[in-house]
């Protein structure tokens, strides 16, 4: 093999590795950002739901408020998009928990 052929093969292999790394960084960063947004929405929903429950003692109203706040933050319940929002209360009514499940679309 000549020197140019060896360099071309090495460059092609390195290019494949670099494209894979760029894809990992972009998709990983996007996933991290989405999970952070989901966590923020869930936290705000839980706080709003807990506040409503403390004021009224009504779990249905607290659930509605929590889901509304989550929706205002971009993660409303949407079965077609695969997003679910679950609001649960501890058995002793000391905690409100909001779980958001949303798919992430990868680009690479």
């Amino acid at each position: 093999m000549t020197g140019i052929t060896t360099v071309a093969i090495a460059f092609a292999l390195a290019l494949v590795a670099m494209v894979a790394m760029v894809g990992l960084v972009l998709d990983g960063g996007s996933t991290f950002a989405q999970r952070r947004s989901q966590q923020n929405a869930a936290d705000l929903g839980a706080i709003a739901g807990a506040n409503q429950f403390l004021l009224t003692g009504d779990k249905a109203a607290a659930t509605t408020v929590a889901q509304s706040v989550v929706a205002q933050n971009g993660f409303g319940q949407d079965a077609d998009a695969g997003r679910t929002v679950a609001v649960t209360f501890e058995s002793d009514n000391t905690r409100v928990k909001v779980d958001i499940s949303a798919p992430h679309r990868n680009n690479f």
Side-chain angles (χ1 to χ4, degrees), residues 49-50 53-54 57-59 88-97:
F53 184 69
L54 284 172
D58 184 6
K59 288 183 181 180
T88 56
F89 296 84
E90 294 286 324
S91 60
D92 58 355
N93 294 327
T94 58
R95 291 187 185 153
V96 177
K97 183 178 177 186

Side-chain angles (χ1 to χ4, degrees), residues 44-54 58 61-63 65-66 69 87 89 96:
L44 290 170
I47 290 169
N51 187 47
Q52 183 68 25
F53 184 69
L54 284 172
D58 184 6
T63 298
V65 167
V69 169
V87 180
F89 296 84
V96 177

Side-chain angles (χ1 to χ4, degrees), residues 7-93:
V7 170
I9 291 172
F11 177 75
L13 293 174
L15 188 62
V16 168
M18 286 188 282
V19 168
M21 284 188 282
V22 167
L24 180 63
V25 167
L26 291 176
D27 284 343
S30 178
T31 299
F32 180 78
Q34 178 184 336
R35 290 184 56 87
R36 179 80 312 223
S37 295
Q38 278 179 241
Q39 185 65 54
N40 288 341
D43 290 346
L44 290 170
I47 290 169
N51 187 47
Q52 183 68 25
F53 184 69
L54 284 172
L55 294 175
T56 64
D58 184 6
K59 288 183 181 180
T63 298
T64 301
V65 167
Q67 289 176 336
S68 174
V69 169
V70 168
Q72 290 171 2
N73 285 281
F75 289 97
Q77 183 114 357
D78 185 358
D80 293 336
R83 286 191 309 259
T84 60
V85 178
V87 180
T88 56
F89 296 84
E90 294 286 324
S91 60
D92 58 355
N93 294 327

